Amino acid sequence: MHKIVLIPGDGIGPEVTGAACRVIDAAGTKTGVNIDWIKCPAGAEALQQGHDDVLPQVTLDAIAEHKVALKGPVTTPIGKGFTSVNVQLRKKLNLYGAVRPVRNLSGVKTRFTDVDLVIVRENTEGLYSGIENEIVSTPGASVVTSLKIASEAASRRIAKFAFEYARERERKRVTVFHKANIMKLSDGLFIRCSAEVAKAYPDIAYDERIIDAGCMKLVQDPNQFDVLLLENLYGDVISDLCAGLVGGLGVVPGSNIGDEVAVFEAVHGSAPDIAGQGVANPLAVLMSGVMMLNHLGETDANAKQAAEKIKHAYNAVLDEHTTVTRDLGGTASTAAFTDALIQRL
Ligand code: NAI
């Protein structure tokens, strides 16, 4: 029995996590993987339940205790209000490495074929420090500052994480995107640490791209990239850009990894524009669930088998293309797509 913390989240979160859990449980029944989902609140849901914090201590404690979580997206107010739950969660649990595999799926037609790259994002520093000040508040002449933090320890840690990931998965190249021509100290430190760490991995090629030119190359010819190593903000932006290369946010999973704990979640947000309509694509959360099962598979061979079963099921349903959600060009509801996946297991 695996005890997994489940954070349904906001907006489409409960719809897509609910669907993903149905598929994971069905695959578990067939392969002998038992999951006890421990539902914990975060975001608006936490406030609705009467907690006085969007990231209640009870949720943090549960993740720290059980070590693994599957998380739905959480809404963050724009330009005001509380600090992002995601930023807090990643910092408080020291989930320093985000891993986001971006791959073409045969049943999802896009401009490109054979895209197969992995984004490794530093999750704890950069402009997401949340340290912002209004230094002049005169109406019409306001001036604010946002502090970008880069430490040698965190930069080395994420570089080592990216190279270890690349070596384990027999990846050939790690490319850092940066803007060290302008942010000479912060991005300069990030690439200096990356280049130093790279020396310990002579089997993996290493290169650096200035991010603006890197973006142009990504949209022209993504197949030239393998593992992308990025500081926090660049990792956030490039993740969505790369999702666009392979069919959108509905098909890109992710994980947030620390030394003790792992939280699996899709790249996408709470999609308020389609929340409650039953049309969201649950695949990105389900694929994050597959990453979670593979993580559990390090100690439970049945979990790896369940992951494989789910992969075969979604590839078959996508290839058939009769029951897919709106974002993938179909008309199926979240529930109908989920039923089709379960039938295919
Ligand atoms: P978003 O990712 O929620 O939505 C962007 C677009 O993609 C929308 O048109 C949406 O309908 C579509 N989309 C996203 N996921 C989809 C899915 N599974 N199926 C079908 N279509 C999907 O990004 P947006 O609108 O910028 O952010 C909304 C909220 O989500 C914000 O409050 C933001 O802070 C939060 N957010 C939370 C994240 C997390 O919890 N990990 C990550 C990104 C954003």
Side-chain angles (χ1 to χ4, degrees):
M1 173 74 81
H2 299 279
K3 284 184 183 286
I4 308 282
V5 173
L6 174 68
I7 300 174
D10 300 323
I12 60 169
E15 302 166 49
V16 288
T17 54
C21 290
R22 277 183 61 208
V23 180
I24 293 168
D25 286 342
T29 305
K30 290 182 187 294
T31 51
V33 181
N34 271 327
I35 294 183
D36 180 11
W37 299 103
I38 299 165
K39 236 185 199 183
C40 291
E45 194 205 3
L47 302 181
Q48 276 156 21
Q49 284 185 15
H51 294 277
D52 54 7
D53 196 334
V54 282
L55 182 55
Q57 192 58 42
V58 64
T59 299
L60 286 167
D61 289 347
I63 303 174
E65 182 184 345
H66 301 297
K67 312 286 185 214
V68 179
L70 184 65
K71 175 184 165 294
V74 174
T75 302
T76 307
I78 294 175
K80 59 179 169 31
F82 56 81
T83 310
S84 158
V85 169
N86 301 312
V87 172
Q88 284 190 60
L89 187 74
R90 291 165 193 165
K91 279 191 188 163
K92 287 187 173 164
L93 295 171
N94 211 7
L95 300 164
Y96 56 84
V99 176
R100 291 152 171 201
V102 179
R103 289 194 191 99
N104 273 121
L105 296 158
S106 63
V108 180
K109 300 292 167 241
T110 67
R111 187 182 302 251
F112 302 103
T113 51
D114 301 329
V115 174
D116 179 10
L117 54 88
V118 179
I119 290 165
V120 173
R121 165 186 175 188
E122 204 291 319
N123 249 350
T124 64
E125 299 196 327
L127 274 164
Y128 287 49
S129 64
I131 305 172
E132 297 191 302
N133 291 297
E134 186 172 46
I135 51 175
V136 179
S137 56
T138 315
S142 296
V143 180
V144 299
T145 60
S146 292
L147 201 63
K148 174 162 172 159
I149 300 206
S151 73
E152 197 161 334
S155 303
R156 272 187 207 289
R157 179 174 66 176
I158 194 66
K160 187 160 184 285
F161 178 85
F163 277 97
E164 285 293 323
Y165 179 92
R167 184 174 271 172
E168 246 173 56
R169 300 201 168 47
E170 298 182 2
R171 294 265 171 181
K172 303 276 177 283
R173 174 179 297 277
V174 172
T175 304
V176 177
F177 277 16
H178 67 89
K179 195 76 189 170
N181 50 333
I182 305 298
M183 279 160 280
K184 295 176 194 291
L185 285 186
S186 53
D187 282 14
L189 179 68
F190 194 81
I191 54 170
R192 180 159 58 76
C193 292
S194 303
E196 278 170 20
V197 169
K199 287 184 194 149
Y201 299 84
D203 47 321
I204 299 160
Y206 169 74
D207 61 357
E208 297 161 359
R209 301 274 175 115
I210 294 182
I211 190 164
D212 35 358
C215 284
M216 192 269 294
K217 291 283 181 201
L218 258 178
V219 298
Q220 262 186 340
D221 178 18
N223 295 346
Q224 66 185 275
F225 295 101
D226 193 344
V227 175
L228 295 179
L229 171 57
L230 305 144
E231 63 83 83
N232 210 342
L233 175 63
Y234 307 154
D236 193 357
V237 175
I238 296 294
S239 295
D240 278 38
L241 183 151
C242 288
L245 301 173
V246 296
L249 287 163
V251 295
V252 178
S255 58
N256 301 293
I257 309 284
D259 291 332
E260 301 288 328
V261 168
V263 175
F264 295 83
E265 65 174 336
V267 169
H268 66 70
S270 56
D273 53 336
I274 56 167
Q277 297 175 24
V279 297
N281 185 352
L283 195 51
V285 173
L286 179 60
M287 292 165 87
S288 309
V290 166
M291 291 174 78
M292 181 194 82
L293 287 167
N294 281 323
H295 178 79
L296 300 177
E298 286 168 19
T299 53
D300 173 4
N302 290 350
K304 273 210 189 311
Q305 221 190 319
E308 279 309 304
K309 252 193 183 313
I310 295 172
K311 266 165 84 174
H312 280 121
Y314 68 65
N315 279 321
V317 172
L318 292 175
D319 283 341
E320 210 172 71
H321 219 76
T322 48
T323 315
V324 296
T325 46
R326 223 163 60 176
D327 58 311
L328 301 180
T331 54
S333 64
T334 309
F337 181 50
T338 308
D339 291 342
L341 293 170
I342 291 171
Q343 227 165 30
R344 276 292 185 156
L345 282 172

